[in-house]
Amino acid sequence: NDDAKGWEVHRGYLVGRRWNPRYAVFVAVAVGGLLVVTTGATQALAIRMAVTVPTWTTPTFSLDAILGIAVPLFIVTAAGQNVPGLIVMHHSGYEANDRLLLGACGVASVLFAPFASHQLNMAAVTAAIATSGESHPDKNRRYIAGMSCGVFYILGGLLATFIVSLFSAIPAGMITPWPVSPSSVPCRLRSTTPCTRAHIKRACSKPLSSPWL
């Protein structure tokens, strides 16, 4: 079923991560594509060739929007993206100009907010990938990875309609990041509470013996 295929994709990623981390995602995609083709699980493909055009949205200001949307997004962005992004760059050996970087993010957010591209930030996960040794052995040439991310983000945005239409042929279990059916998830992974031994024991019918928990 689709859930089983989803688990196989996860396994493919883990295997790729173990042997060649740089191509782990490609291995997972290849495993998923092979499973879909061999099992005949493809769905009707409705490709839409269209360029996504940015749409202007006139900003409106209200106290409810500021307190309910703007302030929470600002806190989440600062704590979850900007601060970790600067820390990642520091640990990767780069002396980042925090005022220049954060100021540029703020100005760009204001300029592109009417096009639904607000809260531009340091992107901690992308920064971790682009500044790691896997992007380039020479840290002075890793900027190419960051620039490539920007270029492909723009291309992905312009081709969003086409990309989304491609996903119409992929079974749901191959897209969902975690198996949809709780019954297909091993008992040890089915806890919705923090992953402590006591919590998982209460959530599962069988006691755990794995030392890593």
Side-chain angles (χ1 to χ4, degrees), residues 111-163:
L111 294 177
F112 292 103
F115 300 100
S117 185
H118 55 81
Q119 291 295 346
L120 298 177
N121 53 71
M122 295 293 295
V125 176
T126 303
I129 296 173
T131 61
S132 68
E134 295 178 5
S135 62
H136 200 285
D138 183 2
K139 75 171 188 177
N140 293 323
R141 294 186 58 82
R142 294 174 190 171
Y143 70 92
I144 298 175
M147 295 178 64
S148 300
C149 287
V151 171
F152 283 106
Y153 286 157
I154 294 174
L155 291 177
L158 293 175
L159 299 176
T161 301
F162 170 70
I163 294 173

Side-chain angles (χ1 to χ4, degrees), residues 19-186:
W19 296 106
N20 198 327
R22 181 176 298 180
Y23 300 103
V25 174
F26 294 100
V27 173
V29 172
V31 171
L34 182 62
L35 286 173
V36 169
V37 172
T38 55
T39 59
T42 55
Q43 302 177 13
L45 182 62
I47 297 180
R48 295 181 57 191
M49 297 295 297
V51 176
T52 304
V53 179
T55 302
W56 175 273
T57 302
T58 302
T60 58
F61 301 90
S62 68
L63 183 61
D64 290 341
I66 292 174
L67 297 179
I69 300 176
V71 173
L73 281 178
F74 169 77
I75 296 174
V76 169
T77 302
Q81 297 293 340
N82 290 336
V83 173
L86 291 172
I87 293 174
V88 165
M89 295 185 70
H90 175 74
H91 282 286
S92 298
Y94 298 95
E95 296 297 329
N97 188 330
D98 55 346
R99 292 186 178 183
L100 178 61
L101 292 173
L102 296 179
C105 288
V107 172
S109 295
V110 172
L111 294 177
F112 292 103
F115 300 100
S117 185
H118 55 81
Q119 291 295 346
L120 298 177
N121 53 71
M122 295 293 295
V125 176
T126 303
I129 296 173
T131 61
S132 68
E134 295 178 5
S135 62
H136 200 285
D138 183 2
K139 75 171 188 177
N140 293 323
R141 294 186 58 82
R142 294 174 190 171
Y143 70 92
I144 298 175
M147 295 178 64
S148 300
C149 287
V151 171
F152 283 106
Y153 286 157
I154 294 174
L155 291 177
L158 293 175
L159 299 176
T161 301
F162 170 70
I163 294 173
V164 171
S165 68
L166 291 179
F167 281 93
S168 63
I170 304 176
M174 305 289 288
I175 301 175
T176 306
W178 198 257
V180 177
S181 175
S183 61
S184 67
V185 182

